[in-house]
Amino acid sequence: MASSPHFVIFPLMSKGHTIPLLHLSHLLFHRRIKLTIFTTTANRPFIAQFLGWKSDDPSIIDLPFPSQIEGIPQGIESTDKLPSISLFTQFAIATKLMQQHFEQVLGQLSNVTAIVSDWFLSWTLESANKFGIPRLSFHGMNNYSGAVAHQVLVNGLFSGPESDDDLITVTGFPWIKITRNDYDEPFNQRVPTGPYLDLVIKSTIAAANSYGVISNTFYELEPIFVDYLNRESKPKVLCVGPLCLAEPQPPKVEARVHQLQPKWMEWLDQKLAQERSVVYVAFGSQAEISKQQLEEISKGLEESQVSFLWVVRKNDDVTNVVTEDLEERVGERGMIVREWVDQMAILKHESVKGFVSHCGWNSVLEGMCWKVPILAWPMMAEQHMNARMMVEEIKIGLRVETCDGSVRGFVKADGLKNMVKELMEGEKGKEVKKKVEEIGEGAKKAMAEGGSSWRTLNELIDELQSVRNSDESKREGYIPCG
C-alpha cells in the first residue's frame, strides 16, 4: 500500500533563506504532507515560533552546528548574526560538517518522498543520492537574474575594456543593459577566482544534478526568463510562488492572538487615523551601512516631510547615536525600530504607501504582493539585478538617486528626499503604484487554487509520489503493468 508523501525541508541558517521555505512548509502542510524540518539548536526557536503549530508535525530536527570555524564566533549559527557578511563563505562551507549528522537522522526516517534544501547546501545532494531520495534545490533568486547571469558567463560580457559603470548590452536579451557594478566580486572581474566562486560552482553543479529547482516566483511575472533557463540549463525550474502568499494555518493565528500588538503597529494605526501616508524603510539584516551614509539617510527622511517607519537591524553605537538624534528632531512623524519585525504585517498596513528597500528578493516579493511601490536601493549580492528587474523590466518601483549616477554611488540627503517624495506624491510614483497593483493581483491569481503556481506544486507532489511508489513496488518485487 502506498504511503502518504513525506518531505524533508532543510533551509540555510539565514532568515532570508529560511522564511520562504517555512512558507513552502505551510503550503505542503495544507496539502496533508508529512514534514521534517532540519536546522540547528540556535535556530530551532525561531522556526518553531514562526510555524506556530501545536502538534509535532512538522517535526523539527536539531543538528549540531560546527564549532571552531575561522572567523565565526562560537555560538553564531545564522548568517544574520555574523560580525560581517564577508564571513558568509566560511559559514556556508562549514555547513558541510553537518553532513554526517544529517545522514544519521535521514537514515532513521521512513518513506521520504523528497528533500528540499537550500541551493548553498549543495552537499545534501550527496546525502539524497546515498538514500535514493530526489533532491530539489531551493534558490531564492528570481529567474531574470539567473538568465542574465547565464548570458554574461556564456558570452564573456565582462571581458572587455569597459569601466565598471559603462552599460553593456546583454546578448540574448538586447533590451537589457547592465554594468560590472551590478555584480559583486568576484563575478565582476574579467577572470573570476576565489573561495566564494568555488562555493557557487559547487552549488550550481549540485543544482544541475538535482531533480528540480524550486523557484520563489510565478511564471507570469518573468516567462521569457523561465523559458530561457528551462531551454538552456537543467534541471527544470518550478515556479511555486510568491511563497509569502502562503496562508498560515489557524494554529499559527491562535498562537499569536493573545500577544500584545507591537508598538510600531500601534504607531501605524495612529497614522492611518490621521490620514498620513507612511514610507517604510528597511535594508535587510545583512547590509553594512557607513556612519556617513546613515547620517544622509537621516537627513533625507527628515527633510522629506513624509511620515516614515525605519527598521534598523544593526544595534551598534554608531547606528544608535544617528537614529536617536533623528527621533528627537522629527518627533511623532517618524519611528525607528531596532529589532526584528514582521515585515509582511507592516507592508499589509493600509497606511504604508511606499517601501525604501535594499531589494532582497523576499522584500521585493512582499512589496509586490501587498501592492506597495518600491524605491530601490540595492547594496549587495543579486540585489542590483533585482533592482533592474523591478525598475526597468516589470516597472513596479523607482531607483534612488546616487550622487555620481553609479549604481553603487553614495546617496546624499537630497537624492533620498527627492525620490521619497516622488514615490509617495509624484507622477512617476502614481505610475508604479498602478503597475504594482496589477502585478500584485497577478501574484495572488498564480497562488490561488487553479493558478499556475498552485498547479505546478500539485503536479510536482504527484510526480514525486509516483516516483517513490514505483521505487517501492520495485523493491517489493513487483513490476507495474503498462
Side-chain angles (χ1 to χ4, degrees), residues 111-132:
N111 302 317
V112 176
T113 308
I115 296 171
V116 182
S117 60
D118 191 275
W119 189 79
F120 281 109
L121 301 179
S122 58
W123 51 266
T124 57
L125 176 64
E126 297 174 22
S127 304
N129 289 342
K130 187 178 292 186
F131 291 93

Side-chain angles (χ1 to χ4, degrees), residues 172-215:
F173 312 108
W175 64 94
I176 298 175
K177 306 287 192 296
I178 61 172
T179 72
R180 278 205 191 89
N181 265 333
D182 284 309
Y183 289 81
D184 284 352
E185 291 184 359
F187 306 107
N188 57 5
Q189 298 172 349
R190 288 176 175 81
V191 183
T193 58
Y196 183 64
L197 178 66
D198 296 340
L199 173 68
V200 167
I201 289 171
K202 282 185 180 179
S203 299
T204 301
I205 292 170
N209 288 286
S210 296
Y211 189 87
V213 173
I214 298 287
S215 181

Side-chain angles (χ1 to χ4, degrees), residues 318-361:
V318 170
T319 303
N320 289 341
V321 168
V322 172
T323 54
E324 284 169 8
D325 187 40
L326 175 63
E327 284 179 304
E328 290 178 9
R329 298 198 306 269
V330 300
E332 63 86 33
R333 180 167 66 83
M335 185 172 196
I336 297 170
V337 180
R338 299 175 181 85
E339 56 191 283
W340 191 85
V341 299
D342 183 343
Q343 179 164 282
M344 279 205 295
I346 291 172
L347 290 168
K348 287 180 186 179
H349 200 281
E350 290 180 71
S351 66
V352 176
K353 303 297 183 184
F355 181 14
V356 180
S357 173
H358 65 309
C359 298
W361 186 237

Side-chain angles (χ1 to χ4, degrees), residues 43 61 89 120 178 215 217 246 293 300 358 387 410 429 466 470:
N43 288 290
I61 305 294
T89 301
F120 281 109
I178 61 172
S215 181
T217 185
Q293 188 62 87
H358 65 309
F410 189 80
S466 176
S470 174

Side-chain angles (χ1 to χ4, degrees), residues 384-403:
H384 292 86
M385 292 306 299
N386 293 345
R388 283 204 181 273
M389 177 189 183
M390 190 191 66
V391 175
E392 299 167 9
E393 191 75 23
I394 59 176
K395 305 182 190 307
I396 61 169
L398 307 175
R399 187 186 277 272
V400 73
E401 288 181 357
T402 59
C403 59

Side-chain angles (χ1 to χ4, degrees), residues 287-338:
E288 296 179 349
I289 304 174
S290 69
K291 179 176 184 288
Q292 292 78 9
Q293 188 62 87
L294 284 169
E295 290 171 342
E296 294 296 319
I297 294 170
S298 298
K299 187 178 177 183
L301 291 174
E302 178 185 4
E303 294 180 352
S304 73
Q305 296 301 310
V306 172
S307 295
F308 63 88
L309 175 64
W310 183 8
V311 174
V312 178
R313 299 282 167 82
K314 292 273 186 183
N315 192 17
D316 56 51
D317 291 342
V318 170
T319 303
N320 289 341
V321 168
V322 172
T323 54
E324 284 169 8
D325 187 40
L326 175 63
E327 284 179 304
E328 290 178 9
R329 298 198 306 269
V330 300
E332 63 86 33
R333 180 167 66 83
M335 185 172 196
I336 297 170
V337 180
R338 299 175 181 85

